[in-house]
Amino acid sequence: MSLSYLLRRILLVFLIIWSAATLNFFIPKLTPRNPLREKLLEQASRSGYIPPGFNEMVKSYEKKFGLDQPVWKQYLTYMNDMAHFNLGYSISNFPKTVPELIGQAIWWTIGLLTATTLISFFLGTLLGALMAWSRSSFIFRQVVPSLLVLGAVPPFIVGLLLIYLVAFKWQLLPLGGAYDTTNLPTWDFSFFLDILKHSILPALAFILTTAGGWAIGMRGMMVTVQGEDYMTFAEAKGLKNWRLFYRYAVRNALLPQITGLAISFSYIVGGSVLVESVFRYPGLGSLLATAIRQLDYFLIYGIVFILIVAIGIAMFIVDLIYPLLDPRIAYEGK
Amino acid sequence: MIKTPGRISGGQILLGDTDLTKLSEEEMRQVRASQISMVPQGAINSLNPVMRVRDQIIDSMLDHNLGLSKAEMIERANAALEAVELNLKVGRMYPHELSGGMKQRACIAISIAMSPQVIIADEPTSALDVVTQRQVMQTIGRLQERMGSAVILIGHDMGLMAQFVNRMAVMYAGSLAELGSVQDIFTHPLHPYTQMLIESLPVLGNRGVFKGIPGITPLLRDLPPGCVFNTRCPHVMDVCRHKTPVFKEYTPGHWAACHLHEK
């Protein structure tokens, strides 16, 4: 790998982060809502009356959050803050800071979605490869493809179905949440089991609906690869079936799948908003949903910025790994 | 390796004393590359793009229980590369780094690595320019002499055939039309199809119109009754349209299937 290749990739990552962060700043600003006023009104209505000098109070908070500045100045401050990973305070959960809130939520999301993304990827890719492999058994070639129908169903629908059947009707697994609230979070084995039990349904909802996509992509690539001359020649070389399958067919068909995997990894950080909401899972997805509902600028900025950086880094890593997987790519940079 | 709807409808394929049609799929796999190997037609796409050339020579040996150590296999692979006049450095390269001629040589190296008794070369030079074509054919010829293997050369190029082969068989629409020594076939072609193939060769210095064979080959699932060539044959007779000619020996070692020569 040459240095110029590396430098170009790094530059590209920064360009992506900068432009996405800019969009991230302006889009929430397009609404005429004022989150501070809403928050203060909510508190005021709880006490039953609007205190005198309410508008001054809103103004002083606006000043505190820097929202009284002209937009271009806010943008510069925002960019400066983001560059220093200074994510500030949350409006809706004041005085908690954004890193605090994200820090609580992110591990739930990463734990749940990393595992499910990996399982879904391996399961789907393997099934897709076997579906297309001409020497697979009848089951893989005829029966399994019919399960792909699930891939067309949105994950939250499957989630609701699972909740209704497994958790509500048969009462086999908990309805939602990440752990039993009567159970104090202590780091022992029973707590771990509890977490596992709570994660089965959201994981299932996610895997059932995403594995099909991986399978279809892989099947398409496998069909193409099997028509290649090198597959015929490899067969004439008297190779064992598994070597033909893994080292020749799967190895070549896998390349586009890896790109997809990296991209879906970076979305993990954003959480699967709908699945997490359906299962009341305390991850980043739920947090983002709340942040958007309450127009908590700084929380939205924080979560989306982390998402952007994660995508940027994931793409960068794929760019670095790709030449190792496909020797033809490395030469582009030379 | 025959894909459906293709099948072996009958007959024998003898290699030494074994009938290959009787072997199981696993036994046949063992025979491939170690006893019968193939030089593919489209060498450009016949190598796995994500494996180094030498690994592609070795993996075929790995799957044939040769009882060789890793080092011995590397040695054999290097010997195969040398035999096809490729630099040993090529072994560590990926297919996309090679030229067309080098890829074809790499393919030949793969197919000769285990010194097979029979090498089936399916138009090995069709994707190459004439100069490379000649070099590749010379390499195959030299290897054949050294290893004592039989080479089955498949192709349309009658000029190439005349130079390279001893005995040739002419096939049309899936059946044998003529079989004989290359001298016999070129001096006294018996079957009209063979005659027309030879006539279609361009002659140097003759800037006329090329002679082709009018018509197209019939679909294999819808062959005409009688002789399969009757729709395009200039000497077609009534008998050709309903009776399939018998493939028989007319002069010693020279066989044909044509009603013209049946008395």
Side-chain angles (χ1 to χ4, degrees):
Chain A
M1 198 175 314
S2 63
L3 192 66
S4 79
Y5 178 82
L6 202 68
L7 285 177
R8 265 195 293 165
R9 296 294 134 179
I10 292 174
L11 193 72
L12 195 68
V13 169
F14 276 103
L15 220 70
I16 289 170
I17 292 180
W18 171 73
S19 50
T22 303
L23 280 176
N24 181 28
F25 173 80
F26 284 107
I27 289 174
K29 291 273 177 219
L30 294 177
T31 144
R33 286 168 59 190
N34 182 336
L36 282 167
R37 178 176 284 275
E38 283 174 21
K39 181 77 191 167
L40 289 169
L41 262 178
E42 188 199 312
Q43 275 169 357
S45 66
R46 222 175 284 158
S47 58
Y49 73 104
I50 294 179
F54 178 76
N55 282 336
E56 281 70 39
M57 208 157 87
V58 173
K59 286 241 164 62
S60 82
Y61 270 108
E62 273 181 354
K63 195 164 182 173
K64 202 164 182 179
F65 281 104
L67 295 177
D68 58 336
Q69 305 280 334
V71 173
W72 65 269
K73 244 184 182 163
Q74 285 185 38
Y75 175 68
L76 290 184
T77 325
Y78 161 82
M79 271 306 179
N80 189 34
D81 284 348
M82 291 296 142
H84 294 92
F85 279 93
N86 179 9
L87 304 179
Y89 286 93
S90 155
I91 295 177
S92 55
N93 288 296
F94 190 78
K96 281 197 173 160
T97 62
V98 171
E100 237 180 293
L101 289 168
I102 291 178
Q104 281 168 8
I106 197 166
W107 300 111
W108 292 112
T109 294
I110 288 183
L112 178 71
L113 290 185
T114 309
T116 47
T117 304
L118 280 177
I119 294 172
S120 175
F121 174 80
F122 282 111
L123 198 74
T125 303
L126 190 65
L127 282 181
L130 285 170
M131 272 192 274
W133 187 237
S134 51
R135 295 175 214 186
S136 296
S137 71
F138 169 80
I139 296 176
F140 283 116
R141 293 187 63 81
Q142 309 297 335
V143 183
V144 175
S146 59
L147 296 178
L148 293 185
V149 174
L150 274 176
V153 185
F156 56 91
I157 301 275
V158 175
L160 287 172
L161 267 176
L162 287 173
I163 291 177
Y164 177 70
L165 288 177
V166 183
F168 181 70
K169 220 158 180 197
W170 303 328
Q171 309 205 340
L172 296 174
L173 290 165
L175 282 163
Y179 51 87
D180 203 336
T181 37
T182 59
N183 200 348
L184 277 178
T186 47
W187 292 109
D188 57 13
F189 187 65
S190 72
F191 185 62
F192 174 75
L193 269 186
D194 193 39
I195 291 178
L196 209 62
K197 225 163 76 184
H198 280 78
S199 65
I200 292 177
L201 286 189
L204 216 56
F206 193 76
I207 292 170
L208 284 179
T209 50
T210 51
W214 293 119
I216 289 174
M218 187 63 181
R219 180 167 68 167
M221 279 312 293
M222 281 288 281
V223 169
T224 315
V225 167
Q226 281 185 86
E228 294 284 348
D229 287 343
Y230 57 78
M231 290 305 296
T232 314
F233 189 42
E235 213 177 319
K237 278 160 72 179
L239 298 181
K240 286 181 181 153
N241 197 15
W242 69 265
R243 194 187 298 276
L244 274 178
F245 182 67
Y246 284 109
R247 302 280 292 156
Y248 284 75
V250 171
R251 182 68 176 72
N252 278 292
L254 203 58
L255 299 171
Q257 295 283 105
I258 299 284
T259 317
L261 180 65
I263 291 171
S264 64
F265 256 136
S266 50
Y267 283 121
I268 285 177
V269 187
S272 184
V273 176
L274 291 168
V275 173
E276 283 189 7
S277 302
V278 165
F279 286 94
R280 291 183 291 112
Y281 207 77
L284 271 189
S286 299
L287 192 64
L288 184 61
T290 326
I292 291 171
R293 209 160 37 230
Q294 306 192 340
L295 199 65
D296 187 340
Y297 287 129
F298 302 102
L299 195 48
I300 299 177
Y301 291 163
I303 295 175
V304 177
F305 187 70
I306 287 195
L307 178 63
I308 294 165
V309 173
I311 294 180
I313 292 176
M315 303 278 253
F316 179 66
I317 292 175
V318 171
D319 275 337
L320 293 193
I321 293 178
Y322 226 86
L324 300 178
L325 292 174
D326 188 347
R328 286 163 292 187
I329 305 285
Y331 270 67
E332 182 210 345
K334 268 198 181 171
Chain B
M1 286 184 68
I2 296 170
K3 305 268 188 305
T4 46
R7 69 200 154 84
I8 299 175
S9 58
Q12 290 179 305
I13 306 168
L14 291 175
L15 177 70
D17 295 326
T18 39
D19 182 0
L20 298 181
T21 57
K22 299 237 162 36
L23 295 184
S24 71
E25 186 47 40
E26 172 60 21
E27 287 168 320
M28 192 58 215
R29 183 185 72 70
Q30 292 285 353
V31 170
R32 283 187 199 121
S34 67
Q35 291 173 53
I36 301 181
S37 74
M38 172 180 138
V39 177
Q41 178 173 23
I44 307 291
N45 299 316
S46 288
L47 296 166
N48 186 349
V50 296
M51 276 172 84
R52 295 182 195 277
V53 170
R54 200 172 65 192
D55 294 337
Q56 300 194 44
I57 305 178
I58 289 175
D59 67 357
S60 174
M61 290 189 237
L62 280 173
D63 280 356
H64 281 88
N65 308 325
L66 299 179
L68 297 175
S69 70
K70 184 87 190 168
E72 285 169 313
M73 281 192 232
I74 290 176
E75 200 150 302
R76 276 222 197 173
N78 285 343
L81 286 173
E82 263 169 7
V84 294
E85 289 136 34
L86 279 177
N87 193 310
L88 288 190
K89 263 189 274 174
V90 173
R92 303 201 25 83
M93 289 170 139
Y94 286 103
H96 70 276
E97 298 170 87
L98 311 181
S99 70
M102 287 162 92
K103 280 185 201 172
Q104 187 56 281
R105 282 168 191 278
C107 287
I108 297 172
I110 290 172
S111 59
I112 59 146
M114 284 184 272
S115 308
Q117 292 159 262
V118 179
I119 299 169
I120 301 174
D122 181 6
E123 297 197 2
T125 57
S126 61
L128 305 174
D129 63 86
V130 275
V131 179
T132 325
Q133 209 173 67
R134 189 178 159 78
Q135 291 169 348
V136 165
M137 287 318 293
Q138 279 172 344
T139 306
I140 295 180
R142 218 173 5 251
L143 286 168
Q144 180 197 14
E145 274 168 35
R146 212 178 72 190
M147 301 191 310
S149 318
V151 173
I152 301 175
L153 183 66
I154 301 171
H156 305 283
D157 187 342
M158 293 298 271
L160 187 71
M161 295 293 160
Q163 275 184 349
F164 191 77
V165 305
N166 308 97
R167 203 155 155 256
M168 74 188 269
V170 180
M171 292 186 79
Y172 180 80
S175 40
L176 277 172
E178 190 163 351
L179 170 73
S181 71
V182 73
Q183 286 87 355
D184 282 349
I185 286 189
F186 275 88
T187 47
H188 311 289
L190 293 176
H191 199 284
Y193 178 58
T194 318
Q195 293 164 4
M196 293 172 87
L197 269 184
I198 296 168
E199 278 167 26
S200 72
L201 272 180
V203 182
L204 209 60
N206 181 0
R207 290 176 164 267
V209 184
F210 289 135
K211 273 191 200 161
I213 304 176
I216 51 164
T217 29
L219 288 174
L220 288 180
R221 57 182 159 79
D222 188 23
L223 291 174
C227 173
V228 284
F229 193 55
N230 73 37
T231 51
R232 303 167 75 187
C233 184
H235 311 293
V236 66
M237 301 174 295
D238 266 349
V239 60
C240 305
R241 295 210 171 85
H242 55 261
K243 196 164 160 246
T244 311
V246 189
F247 189 65
K248 60 184 176 190
E249 196 168 14
Y250 287 96
T251 55
H254 195 172
W255 299 58
C258 186
H259 290 301
L260 278 178
H261 308 283
E262 283 180 39
K263 298 277 152 32

